[in-house]
Amino acid sequence: MDQRIRAGDLMEEVEQATREREAGEAPRATPATDSGAEDRAAVRPVGLGVVGWARWFWRTLTSMRTALILLFLFALGSIPGSIWPQRGVSDAKVAQYFDDSPQLAEWLDRFWLFDVFKAPWFAAIYLLLFLSLIGCVLPRTMTHLRELRRKPPTPPRNLARLPQHASFEAEGLTVEAVAKRLRRMRFRVTTGPDWVAAEKGYLRETGNLLFHVALLGLLIAVGAGALYGYRGNVLVVEGEGFANTVAAYDRYMPGQQVNAESLEPFSFTVKDFQASYIAKGERRGQPLDFQADLGVTDAPGAPERDFALKVNDPLDVNGTLTYLIDHGYAPTFKITDGKGQVAFDGPVPCLVVQPATFTSECVIKVPDAQPEQLGLLVAFLPTTVPMNDQWISVFPGAANPTAQVYGAFAGDLGLKNGRPQSVYELEPTSLKKMKPLVMKADPLAVGKKLDLPNGAGSIEFTGVKEWIALQITHDPGRLPAFVASALAVVGLVLSLTVRRRRVWVRIGSASSEGRREQDRGPVEVGGLTRTEGSDFSEEFAEIVSALNPGVKNDAR
C-alpha cells in the first residue's frame, strides 16, 4: 500500500513537471533533485586560486628545466653585446651606426641592443635565473647533505641479478678484512653479520651542486660589481693628461652606491702613443701592436711612475683598471680669423671613417673668430697619394699626412641657444644659415696654410698627434667572479667524470643455527653504477681481484 502511494506521488510529480514545461515554466525542484544538485556542486572542480597559482609558478621557476632555459637565454642575450657596438664602450661607433643605417639603428635601439646589459629584458632574465638557481640549489643541497650522512644500503637478496657479479671460494676471508680492503679503495663502508656494503662517487653530486652554487656566486658578483662599481670613458690626446674625477669623464656611469668620493684619486699624462702596422705583403696595413706611454701618479703627492699601456695590459691602481680600447689621429691646426688674431691653435680629434687606411673626418668649430664665427670640415689622410682627380690614403700609418678642407663656413654656429652640440659634427640647422667659403680644397701638407676667401682668415696644418680612447672601470665583483668561474669549471669536471657506484659482498652462508662458515666458504660480490651510460666492469674486476686475487669475473 505504501509502495503504491509512493508510486502515485511520483507520477503526480512527473505530470506536474510536464505541465509546467508545456506552460513554459521552469520545473520545480523536488527534494531529491535538490540533493542531487548539491552533490554535483560538491564535486565540481575548484580553481587553483592565488595560492595555488603562486605554488605552481614557484615550482615551475625552480625546476631544473627552467633553470637551463634561463641560463641559455642569459647566454643568448649576451650575444648582441658582442655583435653591435655598445654605449659607454664605443660611443663613436654607435653614432656611426646611426649615420650609416638610421632606420635599422632606430629599431635596434628600441630593443636596447646598443645597451644590452642595461636592458629591462636582460635584467628580467638575470633576476629570474637568480631566483631559479636559489630554488634549485637549496633543496638539492639539503638532500645531498642527508645523503652524505646516510649509510650504504644493505645488499639485495640475490646478488647474481646485479649488472656486475662474481663469486669465488675464499679461505679465512672475514667481513672485517673485506671492509678494510674496500676502505683502502676509498669506499664508504658499512657491515652486517655476513655482508659488507660499500659506495663511492658522492663527488659527482657535490660537483653538480658546486657548479650551480658557483653560477649563483657569479650572478651575485656581477650584481655587486654593478651596484658598487663604476666605469667611464674618456678621450685623451698625446701630451694631455687625465685626473680620475667625475668632471674629467666624457661619459660616466656609476653604480647606485657610488659617489664622487668613491673614485680612486689617481692621474696620468699620455706622453706618447705608438701604433705599428705591417708594411708589406698581403697583410699590409694590418695592426701589429699599440702602446701608450703614461706617466702615472697613484695619489696626490705620490711620485710619478712610467707605465706602458697596451690592449691586454691595463693600468691597475688599487683595483681601478684603465683599458686602451681605441685610437685615432688628432691633427693640430692654427686658425687665424679675419682680424689677424689666432682664434684656435691645438689638436682636433678626428673620427675614423675608413679603418683600413685610417682616413678620418675632423670638425673644427671656431666660436672666437672675428668678424664671423667659422666652422670647418676637414678630411685627414695619414698616407696621401693622388688617384685620378682625388686624393686618398693607402696606409694607416702617418707616412705622408695631409689635411684636406672640404668645407669651410662662416656665420653663427648656434652655440648660444643653450642646446648641447656634438664636437664631431656641425649642426645641420646652423649649417644651412652659414655662408660657404671653401668647398674641397687641395690637401695641405704639414706646415702649409690655406687662406680663406673674403678675408675670413686662414687655416694652417701644423702637425699630427694621436688620441686614445680609454675605459676606466672599478669592479669589486671582478675577483669573486673569477673565483666563481673557476669553481664552476671544477664542479663541471667533477659532475662529468665521477661515477656513483655501489658494491656488496656476502661472505659464507648462515646455517640453521645462525653460524657462519668462516674457514672456507662461498663469497659473492655484486656491483652496479648509479650513473647512466657509464662502464663499471673494469673497476669491478679490480675490486674482485683485491678481495681474492686471480678470481675470474662473471660480470654480465
Side-chain angles (χ1 to χ4, degrees), residues 179-415:
K180 185 177 181 180
R181 294 176 188 179
L182 290 175
R183 287 192 180 98
R184 289 178 182 173
M185 303 179 74
R186 299 181 180 179
F187 278 89
R188 291 180 58 191
V189 177
T190 184
T191 59
D194 59 348
W195 53 267
V196 178
E199 185 174 8
K200 72 176 180 179
Y202 293 93
L203 282 178
R204 178 182 179 86
E205 181 64 15
T206 302
N208 198 351
L209 289 173
L210 179 62
F211 174 74
H212 289 85
V213 171
L215 286 182
L216 190 60
L218 182 61
L219 293 177
I220 294 175
V222 173
L227 191 63
Y228 295 97
Y230 66 88
R231 65 174 180 171
N233 296 84
V234 63
L235 185 147
V236 186
V237 180
E238 283 180 308
E240 297 182 358
F242 168 81
N244 191 28
T245 59
V246 175
Y249 282 98
D250 296 330
R251 178 164 182 169
Y252 176 63
M253 293 158 285
Q256 294 183 357
Q257 301 299 321
V258 177
N259 52 40
E261 288 74 20
S262 303
L263 276 63
E264 192 69 27
F266 70 93
S267 61
F268 57 81
T269 301
V270 181
K271 297 181 177 180
D272 186 31
F273 177 79
Q274 298 175 356
S276 57
Y277 306 91
I278 298 176
K280 297 181 180 180
E282 296 180 354
R283 300 171 58 191
R284 182 174 183 268
Q286 291 189 9
L288 288 175
D289 190 25
F290 307 103
Q291 178 176 318
D293 296 329
L294 307 180
V296 183
T297 303
D298 294 332
E304 183 179 275
R305 61 185 177 94
D306 294 330
F307 184 82
L309 180 65
K310 295 187 176 182
V311 175
N312 295 319
D313 189 11
L315 170 66
D316 188 351
V317 180
N318 296 329
T320 301
L321 302 179
T322 301
Y323 293 91
L324 176 62
I325 61 174
D326 203 355
H327 74 102
Y329 286 101
T332 59
F333 298 95
K334 180 179 180 181
I335 299 176
T336 304
D337 62 15
K339 294 186 177 182
Q341 299 177 352
V342 177
F344 178 87
D345 189 5
V348 179
C350 304
L351 296 180
V352 179
V353 293
Q354 294 182 8
T357 62
F358 259 74
T359 299
S360 307
E361 292 182 351
C362 320
V363 175
I364 309 175
K365 298 180 182 181
V366 192
D368 296 330
Q370 296 294 332
E372 291 183 294
Q373 296 179 345
L374 297 176
L376 300 102
L377 303 176
V378 182
F380 176 75
L381 309 174
T383 301
T384 311
V385 296
M387 177 174 286
N388 299 328
D389 296 334
Q390 297 182 349
W391 298 84
I392 64 171
S393 177
V394 295
F395 190 73
N400 182 27
T402 62
Q404 183 180 22
V405 179
Y406 65 89
F409 304 88
D412 185 10
L413 292 172
L415 299 176

